[in-house]
């Protein structure tokens, strides 16, 4: 997949300040504050930065963690992962494969069948309801 390349000025012009802080500066929302934390309507979740399909509502569940949680991405090609050693922790960062935007983190404490919890910032997503 070809990555979308934009300058920081272009990203700032296209994203809200909160989206820019999360997607481009690896920020996070306060727990339980995001638009999609308790949203369970059928649909597809796209990257707020580039529009790539990232997750589907069938994989979304209420983990109680304070952020939207998914058991799997829409496809293996939708996301990239990287080791994150910030904040005195070792975690796996999840990024949009299309634009490299920071989405959140994935943890090995999710439901079956994957056992994964993709903990994703609402501001990094746009829901396309069915």
């Amino acid at each position: 997949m070809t990555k979308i390349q934009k300058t920081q000025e272009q990203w700032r012009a296209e994203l809200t300040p909160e989206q820019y802080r999360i997607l481009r500066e690896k920020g996070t929302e306060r727990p339980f504050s995001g638009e999609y934390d308790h949203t369970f309507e059928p649909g597809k979740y796209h990257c707020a930065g580039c529009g790539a399909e990232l997750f589907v509502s069938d994989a979304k569940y209420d983990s109680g963690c304070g952020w939207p949680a998914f058991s799997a991405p829409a496809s293996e090609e939708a996301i990239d992962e990287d080791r994150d050693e910030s904040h005195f922790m070792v975690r796996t960062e999840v990024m949009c494969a299309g634009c490299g935007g920071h989405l959140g983190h994935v943890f090995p404490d999710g439901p079956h069948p994957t056992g994964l919890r993709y903990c994703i910032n609402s501001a990094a997503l746009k829901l396309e309801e069915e």
Side-chain angles (χ1 to χ4, degrees):
M1 174 183 286
T2 303
K3 290 228 191 268
I4 294 170
Q5 300 288 325
K6 296 181 183 183
T7 66
Q8 295 309 316
E9 292 75 27
Q10 289 172 311
W11 285 119
R12 275 194 180 91
E14 295 175 16
L15 301 171
T16 68
E18 179 75 346
Q19 289 171 328
Y20 182 84
R21 186 179 69 78
I22 290 168
L23 287 164
R24 308 316 310 168
E25 296 179 333
K26 300 185 181 204
T28 192
E29 300 163 332
R30 289 185 332 273
F32 306 102
S33 69
E35 176 181 3
Y36 301 126
D37 183 29
H38 286 98
T39 298
F40 295 97
E41 283 76 17
K44 298 175 182 176
Y45 289 85
H46 296 265
C47 177
C50 71
E53 184 180 329
L54 301 173
F55 299 95
V56 295
S57 60
D58 288 347
K60 191 170 188 299
Y61 69 101
D62 187 1
S63 70
C65 70
W67 291 271
F70 301 87
S71 59
S75 70
E76 289 184 25
E77 297 79 27
I79 61 165
D80 288 332
E81 296 180 3
D82 198 17
R83 184 178 171 99
D84 177 1
E85 297 178 355
S86 65
H87 305 289
F88 306 103
M89 295 181 270
V90 177
R91 302 176 289 176
T92 301
E93 179 186 6
V94 179
M95 298 150 298
C96 173
C99 68
H102 172 77
L103 304 173
H105 294 86
V106 61
F107 301 96
D109 60 2
H112 292 290
T114 66
L116 298 174
R117 173 174 52 98
Y118 288 85
C119 187
I120 308 298
N121 289 286
S122 288
L125 301 172
K126 292 274 187 192
L127 172 60
E128 176 189 343
E129 291 186 33
E130 292 179 351

